[in-house]
């Protein structure tokens, strides 16, 4: 093969002239621009060395300047070798050159600036102007490289004039990024980078800024704690080895402070500090980032932390809003309800927000009607008949409101048609004592598995119905969102959910909802495997075979929610084969607690005997028999409690 010498002085295969890329042209111009201050550094140091006294401290400083200048020249020539760049087939990325130059020259330039400062102090008056020229050249060289480093991270299409123009008053990398973000729009969150090494801070600042994070830096733990006290941060990247206040002590103080303890922290560590990283994880750190920094790893770990924080914030907001609804119900009861109490919850775009809006409307209607009633009472105090009419109207309004609450509760219960599409043989006997009920039943299915639950909440009427909403929302979160299917684990998490929503972990006995709890039985039916899992909190599972044989699987003797004496509340799981010739019953205690003709409770033993008499009957007939029996009990006295009986075959 024969070659030609092209117009740029490069040999190329004959007939194939290689045109230099725009990036290689820029890098060539930049190399020429960088040599200008380098030539000044090397040239002035040579001149000064000729007059420096042999063995003097000044000469040692000048030798350092000269040698470092030569090292810098080699780095610039090697990194920005236009011939090598053009020889590659890939399009060069300016960011790679900018970052390489910045990392490789940072310490050397700091050394030259330190040498010139020392040399100024010990040089004669006539030598100081030349030393000052070296110092200014080093500063200009540093600003050129820093500007390339910063600009190339955001723009791969640069001109030398842009770099030179911006380098004449080059800001710090952090300030450059802040200015850039101020004009570029929104960012995903704010990160605090804590590292005593300026180069590490600059590299992290620029890499995080490329991912649209706002970055603030601190040189040590003390600065970091001051910044956290005065600002809102979504994540902290914290170095371990630092002066003044190291990463361990800084992390400890962050986690002890109520303002900062929930901010996720990623530790910055070298590979040989892995034992220290483990210690930090035990102290509450989320993760760690090894040095040197890997961009994909940085992106993954920071992104994971932000996602975890988002989910935690969402869960906290949900629990806070459920608690606010409970507080609103109490406020309505004592007449202190205000629309602002639920303003934050009402803007949610989910079922909880819809419930809050309905609650606001109901409370506003009650308040408005009560105001009208009070006015009429004041006007017609002397008219007994008018008072009687006003009282009747008030009762009607209250009943209307409670019936409206009943519509909400019924809407939240699972549709019987939906259940029947998955469990054809099933019935429910569901009777509220006071229009709305503190009992509820719950159902969910996936594949060939079913989860059924029947619960009896503390109280009845409006308070019991609100408690039932807390229970249904808890089951939705645990089963539908967290995908928990084991009955014992469902009860354990439901216990924690109720205590969190009602804030029952507060110390002292004055909190109003400290004793509220729930008795519940949960069945997990695995139709394909023909087995059933059960766990109960003060509620059993009754199993009646077609031949009348009765089996009872008892529940634990503790409710879910309420006072917590032991460290944990564990529930026992029971397993039984799924018998196609048996009927399974989940019930509350309302039926058994209803008085008979003698004023005594119907009782659990008689209720079990009643179930055995239904053995083998179609489930619809069983429901009719139970209703007739309960209606007969009601002839002896008013209904004492909410009643729920759920029977099924699978």
């Amino acid at each position: 093969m024969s070659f030609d010498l092209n117009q740029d002085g490069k040999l190329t295969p004959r007939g194939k002239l290689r045109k230099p890329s725009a990036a290689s042209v820029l890098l060539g111009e930049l190399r020429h621009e960088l040599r200008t201050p380098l030539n000044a550094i090397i040239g002035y140091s040579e001149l000064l060395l000729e007059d420096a006294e042999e063995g003097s401290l000044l000469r040692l400083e000048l030798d350092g300047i000269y040698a470092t200048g030569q090292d810098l020249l080699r780095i610039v020539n090697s990194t920005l070798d236009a011939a090598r760049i053009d020889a590659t087939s890939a399009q060069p990325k300016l960011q790679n050159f900018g970052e390489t130059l910045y990392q490789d020259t940072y310490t050397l330039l700091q050394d030259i600036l330190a040498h010139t400062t020392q040399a100024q102090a010990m040089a004669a008056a006539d030598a100081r102007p030349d030393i000052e020229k070296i110092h200014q050249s080093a500063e200009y060289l540093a600003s050129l490289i820093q500007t390339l480093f910063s600009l190339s991270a955001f723009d791969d299409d640069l001109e030398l004039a842009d770099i030179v123009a911006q380098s004449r008053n080059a800001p710090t990398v952090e300030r450059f990024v802040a200015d850039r973000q101020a004009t570029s729009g929104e960012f995903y969150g704010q990160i605090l980078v804590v590292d005593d090494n300026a180069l590490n801070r600059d590299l992290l600042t620029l890499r995080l800024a490329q991912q649209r994070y706002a970055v603030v830096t601190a040189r040590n733990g003390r600065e970091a704690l001051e910044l956290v006290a005065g600002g809102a941060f979504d994540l902290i990247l914290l170095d371990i080895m630092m002066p003044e206040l190291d990463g361990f002590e800084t992390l400890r103080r962050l986690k002890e402070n109520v303002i900062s303890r929930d901010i996720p922290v990623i530790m910055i560590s070298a590979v040989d500090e892995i034992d220290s990283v483990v210690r930090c994880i035990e102290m509450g750190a989320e993760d760690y980032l090894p040095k040197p920094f890997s961009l994909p790893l940085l992106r993954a770990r920071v992104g994971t932390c932000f996602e975890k924080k988002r989910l935690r914030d969402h869960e906290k907001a949900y629990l806070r809003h459920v608690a606010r609804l409970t507080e609103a119900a109490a406020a309505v009861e004592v007449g202190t309800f205000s629309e602002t109490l639920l303003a934050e919850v009402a803007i949610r775009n989910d079922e909880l927000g819809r419930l809050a809006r309905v609650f606001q409307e109901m409370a506003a209607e009650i308040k408005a009607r009560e105001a009208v009633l009070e006015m009429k009472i004041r006007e017609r105090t002397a008219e007994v008949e008018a008072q009687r009419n006003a009282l009747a109207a008030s009762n009607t309004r209250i009943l209307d409101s409670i019936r409206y609450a009943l519509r909400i509760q019924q809407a939240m219960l699972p549709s019987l048609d939906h259940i029947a599409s998955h469990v054809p043989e099933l019935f429910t006997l569901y009777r509220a004592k006071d229009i709305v009920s503190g009992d509820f039943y719950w159902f969910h299915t996936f594949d060939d598995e079913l989860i059924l639950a029947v619960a009896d909440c503390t109280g009845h009427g409006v308070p019991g119905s609100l408690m039932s909403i807390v229970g249904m929302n808890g089951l939705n979160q645990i089963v539908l969102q967290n995908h928990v299917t084991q009955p014992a684990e469902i009860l354990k998490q439901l216990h924690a959910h109720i205590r969190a929503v009602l804030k029952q972990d507060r110390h002292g006995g004055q909190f109003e909802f400290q004793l509220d709890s729930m008795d519940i039985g949960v069945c997990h039916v695995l139709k394909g495997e023909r087995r059933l899992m059960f766990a109960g909190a003060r509620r059993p599972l009754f199993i009646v075979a077609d031949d009348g044989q009765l089996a009872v699987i008892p529940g634990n003797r503790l409710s879910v929610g309420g006072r917590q004496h032991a460290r944990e509340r564990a529930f026992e799981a029971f397993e039984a084969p799924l018998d196609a010739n048996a009927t399974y019953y989940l019930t509350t205690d309302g039926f058994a607690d209803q008085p008979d003709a003698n004023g005594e409770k119907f009782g659990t033993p008689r209720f079990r005997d009643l179930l055995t008499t239904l053995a083998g009957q179609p489930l619809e007939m069983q429901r009719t028999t139970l209703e007739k029996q309960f209606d007969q009990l009601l002839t002896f006295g008013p209904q004492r409690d909410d009643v729920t009986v759920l029977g099924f075959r699978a």
Side-chain angles (χ1 to χ4, degrees), residues 506-517:
R506 287 185 176 178
H507 297 294
Q510 301 301 315
F511 190 57
E512 187 175 357
F513 307 106
Q514 202 169 42
L515 299 179
D516 288 353
S517 61

Side-chain angles (χ1 to χ4, degrees), residues 408-460:
I408 296 173
Q409 186 178 47
Q410 289 175 335
M412 296 189 70
L413 289 171
S415 162
L416 291 178
D417 290 338
H418 171 67
I419 300 177
S421 66
H422 298 280
V423 192
E425 293 190 85
L426 177 142
F427 77 86
T428 60
L429 172 59
Y430 184 69
R431 293 209 183 168
K433 177 183 180 294
D434 297 319
I435 303 179
V436 289
S437 176
D439 285 4
F440 70 90
Y441 53 90
W442 190 90
F443 173 80
H444 181 64
T445 181
F446 44 92
D447 299 329
D448 62 345
E449 299 181 27
L450 313 170
I451 296 180
L452 303 100
V454 168
D456 182 358
C457 303
T458 300
H460 38 72

Side-chain angles (χ1 to χ4, degrees), residues 368-381 390:
R369 292 184 180 182
E370 286 179 349
V372 172
L373 177 60
E374 289 176 2
M375 181 183 69
K376 288 182 178 180
I377 291 174
R378 285 194 302 268
E379 292 175 350
R380 303 174 186 176
T381 304

Side-chain angles (χ1 to χ4, degrees), residues 288-355:
Y288 76 97
L289 186 65
K291 299 177 186 175
F293 308 116
S294 163
L295 185 56
L297 190 59
L298 173 68
R299 183 184 299 113
R301 290 189 171 168
V302 169
T304 298
C305 274
F306 267 82
E307 180 63 15
K308 286 181 179 178
K309 184 177 185 300
R310 186 189 67 80
L311 293 174
R312 280 198 298 267
D313 290 346
H314 179 78
E315 182 180 5
K316 287 180 182 177
Y318 181 85
L319 293 176
R320 186 177 69 253
H321 291 163
V322 170
R324 187 64 61 85
L325 270 172
T326 305
E327 293 172 13
V332 168
E333 188 173 1
V334 298
T336 60
F337 178 81
S338 169
E339 289 186 5
T340 58
L341 189 61
L342 290 178
E344 183 182 350
V345 188
I347 63 176
R348 291 178 65 101
N349 189 24
D350 58 7
E351 290 300 314
L352 198 61
R354 186 174 71 86
L355 180 61

Side-chain angles (χ1 to χ4, degrees), residues 444-494:
H444 181 64
T445 181
F446 44 92
D447 299 329
D448 62 345
E449 299 181 27
L450 313 170
I451 296 180
L452 303 100
V454 168
D456 182 358
C457 303
T458 300
H460 38 72
V462 173
S465 69
L466 286 173
M467 189 70 180
S468 72
I469 290 172
V470 173
M472 283 187 275
N473 281 336
L475 289 173
N476 288 339
Q477 181 176 337
I478 293 164
V479 178
L480 275 63
Q481 296 182 24
N482 298 347
H483 307 295
V484 178
T485 60
Q486 295 299 318
E489 182 62 23
I490 290 173
L491 294 186
K492 179 180 177 182
Q493 293 195 22
L494 184 59

